[in-house]
Amino acid sequence: MSENCIFCELGNERIIGQCDMTTTFLDTYPASPGHTLIVPKRHIATYFEVTTAEQNAIAKAIQKAKLLLDNEFSPDGYNIGVNNGEAAGQSVKHLHVHLIPRYLGDVKNPKGGVRWVIANKANYDIKG
Amino acid sequence: MSENCIFCELGNERIIGQCDMTTTFLDTYPASPGHTLIVPKRHIATYFEVTTAEQNAIAKAIQKAKLLLDNEFSPDGYNIGVNNGEAAGQSVKHLHVHLIPRYLGDVKNPKGGVRWVIANKANYDIKG
């Protein structure tokens, strides 16, 4: 628990799932309908600090959230992503895994997916 | 093993790490110096198909690769990401986890990170 951390003080109304180690909730500024975040209950900054137990709990929470979202939103795909560090675009300094449902046509050219973190490198001609 | 899958037929020269369940190698079209991919040896398409053992092995491989990349490239942050399905930008239909080192100044505004998969939603004013 860290003071002034919005992910340590989640309101129950936002929570869509939890276990003893993780909390799952809808993103306040969704990139797409159903954009979900999974956080460890322990206040750590990055994925590189998780214990094996936390890592397992997060993976299970991702799978559970995916089933919920399939049922509710029927997306055509999903990005899973973590920003570790401000240079990687992280704002809230409490590890959060993004589960972003994707829908055909939601962007003109989805190819590259998470490569778009560096937009001028996201377009590549050959498979990768 | 799947025929005509480039991630089932990796050349040894590309491989920087492996275990019995995963292979780690440098991306052919790197978004940044050190851009690395981690794949399960088993040919599956998405993260939602991993076994618990594979999920654990992938998580360990991410941590190992991060230490290698820290040592070699000293980045300022990392994005971790998976594109699941063509709508999410996946090209090669063999699960691959991107580990993308980030460097201060590599993009004008890194904020949002993996939210950039849907570029017009990546800019948000308040923390999230």
Side-chain angles (χ1 to χ4, degrees):
Chain A
M1 190 84 173
S2 174
E3 272 183 42
N4 301 319
C5 170
I6 58 171
F7 292 166
C8 282
E9 295 168 354
L10 288 164
N12 277 334
E13 70 285 359
R14 295 182 63 187
I15 295 171
I16 61 169
Q18 58 183 317
C19 70
D20 56 340
M21 289 196 161
T22 68
T23 309
T24 300
F25 56 101
L26 294 171
D27 190 278
T28 310
Y29 307 98
S32 70
H35 182 167
T36 291
L37 301 179
I38 292 119
V39 300
K41 290 195 172 174
R42 187 166 68 99
H43 182 82
I44 51 175
T46 74
Y47 187 76
F48 306 115
E49 295 155 63
V50 294
T51 63
T52 303
E54 283 167 336
Q55 171 253 300
N56 267 313
I58 288 168
K60 276 183 195 152
I62 291 171
Q63 306 285 359
K64 269 195 186 172
K66 189 258 188 192
L67 296 178
L68 271 179
L69 296 173
D70 276 351
N71 197 43
E72 181 82 11
F73 297 97
S74 301
D76 302 298
Y78 286 94
N79 296 111
I80 301 170
V82 184
N83 307 326
N84 298 282
E86 212 162 321
Q90 185 174 15
S91 305
V92 179
K93 300 296 181 289
H94 182 137
L95 167 61
H96 46 294
V97 178
H98 292 263
L99 181 60
I100 305 177
R102 297 298 302 275
Y103 304 87
L104 290 172
D106 62 4
V107 301
K108 197 174 170 188
N109 178 18
K111 194 179 169 191
V114 296
R115 291 175 187 271
W116 284 92
V117 295
I118 301 178
N120 66 345
K121 297 282 187 171
N123 274 312
Y124 58 104
D125 288 333
I126 309 174
K127 286 182 174 187
Chain B
M1 190 87 172
S2 173
E3 273 184 40
N4 302 319
C5 170
I6 59 171
F7 292 166
C8 282
E9 294 168 352
L10 288 164
N12 277 333
E13 71 285 358
R14 295 181 64 187
I15 295 172
I16 62 169
Q18 58 182 317
C19 70
D20 57 339
M21 288 196 160
T22 68
T23 309
T24 300
F25 56 100
L26 294 171
D27 190 278
T28 309
Y29 307 97
S32 71
H35 182 167
T36 291
L37 301 180
I38 293 118
V39 299
K41 291 194 173 175
R42 188 167 67 100
H43 182 81
I44 51 175
T46 75
Y47 187 76
F48 306 116
E49 293 155 64
V50 294
T51 63
T52 302
E54 283 168 336
Q55 171 253 300
N56 266 313
I58 289 168
K60 276 183 194 151
I62 292 171
Q63 305 285 0
K64 269 196 186 173
K66 189 259 186 190
L67 296 178
L68 272 179
L69 297 173
D70 276 352
N71 197 43
E72 180 83 11
F73 297 97
S74 300
D76 302 298
Y78 286 94
N79 295 111
I80 302 169
V82 185
N83 307 326
N84 299 282
E86 212 162 319
Q90 185 175 13
S91 306
V92 180
K93 301 295 182 287
H94 182 136
L95 167 61
H96 46 292
V97 178
H98 293 262
L99 180 60
I100 304 177
R102 298 297 302 276
Y103 303 89
L104 290 171
D106 63 4
V107 300
K108 197 174 169 189
N109 178 18
K111 194 178 169 193
V114 297
R115 291 176 186 271
W116 284 92
V117 295
I118 300 178
N120 67 346
K121 296 284 187 168
N123 275 312
Y124 58 105
D125 288 333
I126 309 175
K127 286 183 174 184

